[in-house]
Amino acid sequence: LCKNAEDMFRVFARFNPLLTRTRVRAAVKEFQIQLISTVGEAVEKLQSKFTLKYEASSAAKISLLRGIPPVAGKIMWAK
């Protein structure tokens, strides 16, 4: 089973050539719905992370101590 949106996209890309078949396309519809839902949840999670303000987080202080530039620290924090 797919644990996140990236895994789901990999599966979708692998079997994309089969989508030309009508029966397969119908079977994949449920997968697409689940994929859209998973992507939506991932976007919401990422959005909520950014509303926490990286600059005020402990991760920002640790990144600064380690000499990591602020933009790089923010990207790492977001992941």
Side-chain angles (χ1 to χ4, degrees):
L1 288 172
C2 300
K3 295 181 181 178
N4 57 35
E6 284 183 46
D7 290 344
M8 294 178 91
F9 275 117
R10 274 191 216 107
V11 169
F12 191 70
R14 183 174 181 186
F15 294 100
N16 195 32
L18 296 174
L19 294 178
T20 58
R21 300 178 186 172
T22 306
R23 289 182 187 172
V24 174
R25 190 177 306 150
V28 170
K29 190 72 171 173
E30 179 64 32
F31 179 80
Q32 288 175 327
I33 292 167
Q34 188 179 9
L35 174 62
I36 290 169
S37 173
T38 303
V39 169
E41 290 170 9
V43 168
E44 286 176 11
K45 186 187 282 186
L46 186 60
Q47 185 177 21
S48 69
K49 254 188 167 179
F50 271 104
T51 58
L52 292 176
K53 300 290 183 191
Y54 166 75
E55 291 79 10
S57 71
S58 61
K61 294 172 186 142
I62 293 170
S63 294
L64 184 62
L65 291 173
R66 293 184 177 172
I68 298 171
V71 173
K74 192 178 268 190
I75 292 169
M76 292 181 347
W77 175 72
K79 288 185 175 190

